Amino acid sequence: MIMGISFGRGVFFHNREILACAEIKRGVIHVWAEKMTIWTLLKMWHRILFAHPWYYNVFHLLLLLYVSYAVWQGHGPVDPTWVLVYMAGFHFVFPKRLKRFHGAEHKVFSYPGEKKLEALAEIQQASIVNEGCSTNMVTCFFLAFLLTIWFLPLDWSIGAGAVAMLAWIAGDKYLRRALPFIFPLSAFLQKHVTTKEPQRMHLETAIRSYQMFVSSCQRLA
């Protein structure tokens, strides 16, 4: 099973054995791939966490300091548990360039033909909605959270959201049948909130990442 992850400078494609990456550095696309190891995962998460614009990193650092202060003091003007809600909803406040890479990742997945640079114009026209997007889980979280926050304590409502996310992971096919409005809502959010139409450089980066993944599976597996 191939999975994709977008970050502020590029796109990953991976399975359990191989991680491939294409990223833009100083205007040039760099590609690499490795077998999946702890070190590879650390490299991936380093890029995911620190490829945001500087002001996102400053804001997240301030959030971390505030939570640390609130926990140390045992109180704070705002319940630090709300930070968990922000983390769950970070999809909705992605930086613009990350939204474009996210859209490019989706279009590569949606395109039914061979993922190659020669097909870039056709890939550009592919759907920006991906049935396997993590926005599905975020949608489940907030549906459960918003429905319970009115009559449950905050931490219980967050727990309800977490259970809803796990339920989607464990049985999305059943939830699609039982609650058929979830994916259409997620698709709407993907199209209008969590992605943006990619430009050529975002699409080329995503295509190169996918190609590197495919070739590396043949070479490294």
Side-chain angles (χ1 to χ4, degrees):
M1 179 179 178
I2 303 175
M3 292 169 280
I5 302 175
S6 310
F7 65 106
R9 290 200 309 264
V11 178
F12 298 105
F13 285 104
H14 70 95
N15 58 16
R16 293 181 179 180
E17 287 80 33
I18 303 293
L19 176 77
C21 174
E23 56 188 325
I24 296 177
K25 294 181 179 180
R26 298 179 181 177
V28 178
I29 299 175
H30 296 264
V31 294
W32 56 271
E34 295 178 359
K35 286 190 174 182
M36 193 70 79
T37 63
I38 296 297
W39 174 245
T40 306
L41 289 173
L42 289 174
K43 288 173 66 174
M44 179 185 75
W45 279 106
H46 178 269
R47 284 162 168 77
I48 291 172
L49 294 174
F50 296 105
H52 302 311
W54 66 268
Y55 44 87
Y56 272 75
N57 292 329
V58 170
F59 177 67
H60 292 155
L61 176 61
L62 292 175
L63 279 182
L64 178 62
L65 292 174
Y66 175 76
V67 170
S68 301
Y69 166 80
V71 171
W72 179 261
Q73 296 294 322
H75 63 82
V78 179
D79 189 333
T81 311
W82 280 104
V83 174
L84 297 175
V85 180
Y86 169 78
M87 292 170 62
F90 185 62
H91 271 62
F92 302 140
V93 292
F94 278 165
K96 182 183 293 186
R97 68 187 184 190
L98 174 50
K99 288 184 179 183
R100 294 194 187 280
F101 281 121
H102 195 193
E105 173 209 331
H106 282 193
K107 285 177 178 286
V108 167
F109 269 127
S110 297
Y111 180 66
E114 184 180 353
K115 330 293 188 183
K116 56 184 181 179
L117 293 175
E118 292 79 4
L120 192 146
E122 290 81 4
I123 295 173
Q124 177 80 64
Q125 301 304 314
S127 175
I128 205 167
V129 173
N130 179 8
E131 288 197 356
C133 180
S134 53
T135 302
N136 298 330
M137 295 184 295
V138 174
T139 301
C140 288
F141 174 91
F142 277 98
L143 283 173
F145 174 77
L146 293 173
L147 287 172
T148 57
I149 189 62
W150 305 105
F151 57 88
L152 290 179
L154 176 60
D155 53 347
W156 284 46
S157 295
I158 292 174
V163 169
M165 291 176 66
L166 292 173
W168 182 270
I169 294 172
D172 64 308
K173 293 180 180 179
Y174 303 104
L175 280 180
R176 286 176 194 266
R177 297 193 195 101
L179 302 171
F181 59 87
I182 290 180
F183 182 70
L185 177 57
S186 173
F188 176 86
L189 292 171
Q190 289 181 52
K191 190 172 182 180
H192 299 286
V193 181
T194 67
T195 69
K196 280 189 175 293
E197 278 295 323
Q199 299 170 337
R200 181 183 178 88
M201 66 174 181
H202 307 101
L203 281 171
E204 185 173 342
T205 303
I207 294 168
R208 287 184 181 276
S209 179
Y210 192 93
Q211 290 178 325
M212 174 58 73
F213 171 79
V214 172
S215 63
S216 297
C217 284
Q218 299 169 351
R219 179 170 50 89
L220 297 177

